[in-house]
Amino acid sequence: MYRFSKILLLICSLAVIGITVPSVYAAPKSLPAASSNTKPSANKPQDQTPANKPQDQDSEQEEKKDVSTAELESLQQRLSDIKQQVSAVTKDKEFSLLNTQALEVSHKADEYISILTPVLTQILAQLDVIGPAPAPGALDETPEVTKQRAALNADKAATEKKLEHSQTLKTNASNLSKQIIELRRNALKTQLALNSGSILGPRFWAPVFNPQPDDRTKIASFSQQLSDNIAQA
């Protein structure tokens, strides 16, 4: 009886072990599900990085925005062409067109100034951060710092030169516009004087005795209105 109960207890123990062991070995199977849930969170920074790249590229393009020497030379040539044309112009419409072109050159030069000014400000700020070259006997700086200072000084000189050129172009274009306006005014006075002649000459009084068709119509209308007003009075 004792042996029978011992065998029965052993069988029950084996049965319990057989149930628990598979469940223990089956538990790791749930780990891939948990790891699959964590993958999207791990990928989120990767998804956000490309979205930020266009903004970084745009900011870099804005920092690199500059005016080339070729653009300034082209604007200088355009202003020179306008000056050459002014000397041969006699008509009012031609003066007006050249004045418009001179103002366009002035506005373009002003645009270049607005671009170059912040560029120069940034270069000066970077030079302030690096500081001046060490005095003789002081602690030597690294070659990288020396090279960076030299490059910034070269950029500073080039930017100042282009900024000065732009300011000169703006001033010359504005002065040319004023000269064109004055020439246009003088040409108009001369034309009126040539068309009318002297006040003592018959050409000056010719429009009064022999008016143009449009003038005759206006005079007739005015005379009729004057007659009507006199009749009503």
Side-chain angles (χ1 to χ4, degrees), residues 58-76:
D58 293 342
S59 61
E60 290 178 359
Q61 290 177 357
E62 291 180 358
E63 292 177 358
K64 292 180 181 179
K65 191 175 182 182
D66 199 354
V67 178
S68 64
T69 304
E71 290 175 324
L72 292 171
E73 292 177 352
S74 177
L75 195 63
Q76 178 68 58

Side-chain angles (χ1 to χ4, degrees), residues 43-62:
N43 292 335
K44 284 183 180 179
Q46 296 177 357
D47 295 337
Q48 293 175 356
T49 302
N52 295 333
K53 285 183 179 180
Q55 296 179 357
D56 296 338
Q57 292 175 356
D58 293 342
S59 61
E60 290 178 359
Q61 290 177 357
E62 291 180 358

Side-chain angles (χ1 to χ4, degrees), residues 69-178:
T69 304
E71 290 175 324
L72 292 171
E73 292 177 352
S74 177
L75 195 63
Q76 178 68 58
Q77 183 61 43
R78 185 178 175 186
L79 183 62
S80 299
D81 294 340
I82 296 172
K83 290 180 179 179
Q84 292 178 359
Q85 295 177 24
V86 169
S87 59
V89 167
T90 57
K91 297 181 180 179
D92 184 72
K93 291 183 179 180
E94 295 175 344
F95 279 118
S96 178
L97 179 60
L98 292 177
N99 181 46
T100 302
Q101 294 177 0
L103 291 177
E104 289 177 353
V105 172
S106 177
H107 294 331
K108 195 64 178 179
D110 190 40
E111 180 182 342
Y112 289 163
I113 293 172
S114 63
I115 294 174
L116 292 169
T117 300
V119 173
L120 180 60
T121 302
Q122 183 179 3
I123 294 174
L124 293 176
Q126 292 175 347
L127 285 172
D128 289 340
V129 172
I130 295 178
L139 184 63
D140 293 337
E141 61 185 7
T142 61
E144 290 77 7
V145 175
T146 304
K147 184 178 179 181
Q148 187 177 7
R149 183 187 295 107
L152 288 173
N153 283 324
D155 292 341
K156 173 177 173 289
T159 304
E160 287 177 341
K161 184 178 180 180
K162 289 188 288 188
L163 185 59
E164 183 180 359
H165 194 180
S166 300
Q167 293 171 344
T168 303
L169 283 172
K170 179 182 177 181
T171 302
N172 292 341
S174 299
N175 292 336
L176 180 60
S177 175
K178 295 177 182 179

